Each structure stands twice: as C-alpha cells, then as structure tokens.
Amino acid sequence: MTETESIAYDVVVLGAGPVGENVADRTRAAGLSTAIVESELVGGECSYWACMPSKALLRPVIARADARRLPGLDQAVQGPLDAPAVLARRDAYTSHWKDDGQVRWVEGIGADLYRGQGRLAGPRTVTVTGADGAVRTLTARHAVAVCTGTRALLPDLPGLADVKPWTSREATSARSVPGRLIVVGGGVVATEMATVWQALGSQVTVLVRGKGLLPRMEPFAGELVAEALADAGADIRTGTSVESVTRENGTVVAVTAAGDRVEGDEILFATGRVPHTDDIGLDTVGLESGSWLPVDDSLRVTGTDWLYAVGDVNHRALLTHQGKYQARIAGAAIAARAAGDPARAEPWGPHTATADHHAVPQVVFTDPEAAAVGLSLAEAEQAGHRVRAVDVEFSSVAGAGLYGDGYKGRARMVVDLEDEILRGVTFVGPGVGELIHSATVAVAGQVPISRLWHAVPSYPTISEVWLRLLEDYRG
C-alpha cells in the first residue's frame, strides 16, 4: 500500500451519485474547490440500478396499457411486448453501465474526481484507497459531505445467500425474463418490478407481510394497484411472511409462515434499505458505522460544524429528487458558511430543507400510477392537524375519459380546516405522475383554498380533477 501526500480542498464529497454531483455542482458554482470520491460508477444507484433503468422498463408497459384503453388502437397492441427490445432500451438508458458521460460532466463543472473507497480519517479528512491499493489523503477546509446513499436490506433467513436472491439491482439489470418471479415486499420497488416482469412475461407472485400494497400512501392507492396487478395475472398474497427460502435444482422455493410453498425461477426481496455507511470511517469522528446520520435542516450532521449528510443517508426522504433538493440546500449552506455568513435557518429559506417535512412528492410508476405529496389523512391527523379529506373519482372528469375508456382512479386532498390550505394530495390513475407537480406547488406554497379556486384547469384535461375536488370541498 502506497500513501501520497495530503491534498487540500474546500469541500470533499463522498459519493458521486445524483446527490453528490449536485452538492459538488453547487459548491463549485460558489467558487469552492471540490473533490468528489466514488467507489463504483459515477452517477450512482439512480442512473444504473434504480430510477433510470426501472422507468425505462416500465415505460413500454404503461404505453401499451394506455393504448389498450383506446378503440382503434387496442386491437393493434394485444400481442406480447418485445422483451429483448425493452431490455435493450433499458441498457441504452443506463449507458450500458458505463459512466463516461457522467465523468465528463464532473470534469465540466471543475470538480476533481477520485475513484476508490473513500473513508473518513478524522475531522475534515478523507482517505481514498484506489483499486491498485494506493491511498490518497484529502483534507477539507470547510466541509465533507457524505452522499453514499443506501443499499438493499435482505432479511436474516438461513441459507439465503445460497439462493442468490434478486435485490433492486438485479431486478432492474436482469438480462432475461424469468418464467416465474416471486416478489417479497409491498412497497415501491416491489410493485414497480411486479408490474414490469408480469408484463414482460413472468408469472409473478407477490408476498406481502402487511395488509396491502404501498402502505405509506393512502389505502386506496395500494388497493387500486393490487387490483390492476391481479387483473394482469399476478398473484397477490397479503398477510404473508416468508420463513425460509431454498433453491432446489434451480427452482426457488419460498415457504410461508402458513406452511405454503411458493415456487419460482427467481426471487426478489424488496424489503427495505439500509444506509451505505458501514465502511466510510464514521467511527473516526465519533459516529456509529452503518448508522443513519441525523442532520439539521441545512443537512449538517448533528453535533458537528463541518460534516454534512445529504440524501438517503440521513433517512429524511429516500427519493432521488428529494436528495437532489437537499444537495442544493446543503451546497448553498456550505457556501454561505465558507464565506463567513451564517446559514439562515428560517423555514423555506435558501439554506433550509423545509420541504422534507411538508411537501415531499413521489410517483409510483405502476399501472395505474400512484402519486402523492405532503401528508396522508392518517399522517395529518396523527400530527394534530384538524383536517378533512375530500375524495373524487376520476370518472367525473371529462379529460380522464378522453385519456382512455374505462379510466379508473381516485383523487384525495387533505385540507387543513383552520388554515384552509392543503396538507396533502394523492392521485391514483393512468398518467397522474405528470399531475402531481401541481399539487406539490399547492402544498409547498401553502396556497389558500380561496386562491386555488381561481386557478382554472384547462378543459378537457385530467387536471380538471382539481375543480371537482374544490367543488366538493365548498359544497
């Protein structure tokens, strides 16, 4: 092992995924010298094993489903999807798991890229161990930002490693379609991957420990998605936990707590995420290795004045777009403090990630899509708000019927009865992913109901659901 001299920067970023890239972009824009360290591919989980490949796989599935709702087109799309073509398009969107373009982007903003395993080695110090064993030491005058994300959580089942289960990585990068796929879990990864592989030709069985799918959204979201998956041919089993898994002559056998045997060619565990912080030297700065990193609203780690944790590692909102939002806030806060100005702590200010608490949007790209922002009804009530839920079926909206025959979906807005603002909005239905930003603006902007009444939706669009919601609220 060879160690070089220490190299000083204003900011050192651990992790070159979308979050780390955005921190570096903001600190470089502020004129701060910045190093970014990556142990795998520049572009991170989102670019190669999550957002981009999963949505590339899902898009043909959703497009075919939409086409089947339209007379004159439905008969033309009754055949199977061309799985090799779908997988090839997925490969193109991951740049065939090569990061040349992302590297050029990092170079273009003027940041220095270091490849290797980055570890904290005391306050404001990071060592980078390259593939050749050489060690470089980087020091940060102002800040180190941990942006290392998460990895899949696998349950503690005997012999699971011998089964070689899929995680989200294998599910989004598989080279062929399994004949039978067992999906364990009921969240976003589970429902999206069940949608993909069922449509591509797998016989999918979904084993859900809880009462239903998408448990963090309004109950009707999971119900409508489960109904659609079942209609597509998937077997959805709720209240089912897996007690053991084996692979027998190539076949995966999952045994449930009830003693049922479920067989498949592959098994996907989509049962949660854990922070990717177990080998980054947290113990050298008094923190617990493998832990989530609590932060203030400027994304600075509690108890420090130099360490930031941005994106999934802080466990505030495990979503790429929210991590990038945090990165913009953290970059601005780092720049302000480097210039000797205190980062402003007021809500909704340039140095405060207020949206993490009040206006986190998410889209689940199933068929139908499920999209939500802010608080669900149960969450709003638990938080002590006096609220009312207003529900509308999309069948009341002309634009939904024009979008596709038999359009089925529901919308809910959660109204704060004291302030008459929206605490949360949920849409479920085809194409609603493109509708959620209007709700995000309303929730983040705390737009009063009285003003929303004057935001006139164009006719005949699906957005006219807003008028139906407001009419139902006003009576």
Side-chain angles (χ1 to χ4, degrees):
M1 182 179 294
T2 304
E3 186 165 355
T4 64
E5 72 281 0
S6 175
I7 308 169
Y9 289 90
D10 292 322
V11 179
V12 177
V13 180
L14 281 179
V19 176
E21 288 178 329
N22 273 266
V23 172
D25 186 40
R26 292 296 84 211
T27 56
R28 284 298 302 128
L32 300 177
S33 62
T34 301
I36 187 164
V37 182
E38 176 56 51
S39 61
E40 291 189 285
L41 295 175
V42 176
E45 199 79 11
C46 174
S47 298
Y48 307 104
W49 300 287
C51 313
M52 296 306 290
S54 66
K55 277 53 188 182
L57 290 168
L58 282 157
R59 180 59 195 142
V61 176
I62 302 305
R64 183 180 67 167
D66 284 342
R68 286 178 170 177
R69 297 183 180 100
L70 296 172
L73 187 56
D74 57 339
Q75 292 303 312
V77 291
Q78 287 304 313
L81 288 166
D82 183 342
V86 173
L87 297 179
R89 185 172 187 263
R90 181 271 319 270
D91 293 352
Y93 268 90
T94 60
S95 301
H96 301 274
W97 290 273
K98 297 179 181 178
D99 62 3
D100 301 22
Q102 301 265 15
V103 170
R104 287 193 295 271
W105 183 88
V106 171
E107 293 171 345
I109 65 170
D112 289 344
L113 173 64
Y114 291 85
R115 290 190 181 273
Q117 177 62 51
R119 296 181 180 88
L120 292 165
R124 293 185 172 84
T125 304
V126 171
T127 61
V128 184
T129 305
D132 60 357
V135 179
R136 292 180 172 85
T137 299
L138 312 178
T139 59
R141 300 183 188 94
H142 299 294
V144 174
V146 176
C147 310
T148 49
T150 59
R151 55 182 173 81
L153 170 66
L154 286 171
D156 185 17
L157 293 176
L160 183 60
D162 296 331
V163 174
K164 296 183 179 178
W166 281 9
T167 67
S168 54
R169 283 197 168 196
E170 290 77 19
T172 56
S173 62
R175 311 308 304 173
S176 61
V177 180
R180 299 164 299 171
L181 175 65
I182 304 168
V183 178
V184 182
V188 177
V189 172
T191 53
E192 289 189 346
M193 291 299 97
T195 299
V196 164
W197 294 108
Q198 180 69 38
L200 288 177
S202 292
Q203 175 55 57
V204 173
T205 302
V206 182
L207 306 179
V208 189
R209 176 178 292 181
K211 296 180 180 179
L213 302 180
L214 302 177
R216 296 187 178 182
M217 302 183 87
E218 298 284 9
F220 65 81
E223 292 166 5
L224 288 169
V225 170
E227 180 182 326
L229 276 170
D231 288 345
D235 180 5
I236 312 295
R237 306 185 191 183
T238 58
T240 303
S241 60
V242 176
E243 296 297 309
S244 68
V245 181
T246 56
R247 190 179 286 273
E248 303 171 4
N249 298 319
T251 296
V252 177
V253 179
V255 179
T256 71
D260 296 329
R261 286 169 55 95
V262 183
E263 296 187 354
D265 298 295
E266 301 290 352
I267 185 167
L268 162 63
F269 280 91
T271 49
R273 309 287 297 181
V274 291
H276 204 241
T277 59
D278 52 317
D279 190 25
I280 62 168
L282 290 183
D283 56 306
T284 70
V285 293
L287 298 170
E288 182 181 351
S289 293
S291 66
W292 302 101
L293 297 176
V295 295
D296 63 19
D297 280 347
S298 71
L299 291 312
R300 190 165 56 179
V301 174
T302 304
T304 77
D305 63 359
W306 59 275
L307 184 62
Y308 292 72
V310 193
D312 288 3
V313 289
N314 60 42
H315 208 224
R316 286 163 68 107
L318 277 65
L319 297 159
T320 295
H321 50 271
Q322 210 68 20
K324 291 164 70 173
Y325 160 73
Q326 292 177 11
R328 297 190 291 272
I329 298 294
I334 291 168
R337 289 169 176 145
D341 298 327
R344 286 181 277 166
E346 72 270 15
W348 306 109
H351 310 133
T352 310
T354 313
D356 285 352
H357 307 297
H358 302 290
V360 174
Q362 181 174 21
V363 179
V364 185
F365 292 86
T366 45
D367 177 40
E369 292 176 348
V373 63
L375 303 178
S376 67
L377 174 61
E379 289 169 340
E381 290 174 340
Q382 290 167 5
H385 300 295
R386 191 168 68 89
V387 293
R388 173 188 161 195
V390 180
D391 291 355
V392 166
E393 299 295 325
F394 273 100
S395 57
S396 66
V397 179
L402 287 168
Y403 189 93
D405 288 0
Y407 188 109
K408 189 174 183 179
R410 185 181 303 173
R412 168 175 287 180
M413 66 179 189
V414 179
V415 183
D416 187 308
L417 296 175
E418 295 182 0
D419 297 330
E420 282 221 312
I421 60 174
L422 302 185
R423 291 293 176 185
V425 179
T426 299
F427 300 124
V428 183
V432 298
E434 297 299 336
L435 190 60
I436 197 62
H437 191 60
S438 58
T440 303
V441 172
V443 173
Q446 299 180 333
V447 182
I449 290 286
S450 60
R451 181 59 61 88
L452 282 175
W453 187 250
H454 295 279
V456 182
S458 298
Y459 180 85
T461 66
I462 301 176
S463 292
E464 206 173 17
V465 71
W466 279 108
L467 178 57
R468 300 289 170 259
L469 288 164
L470 293 167
E471 287 174 336
D472 274 25
Y473 176 71
R474 286 196 160 195

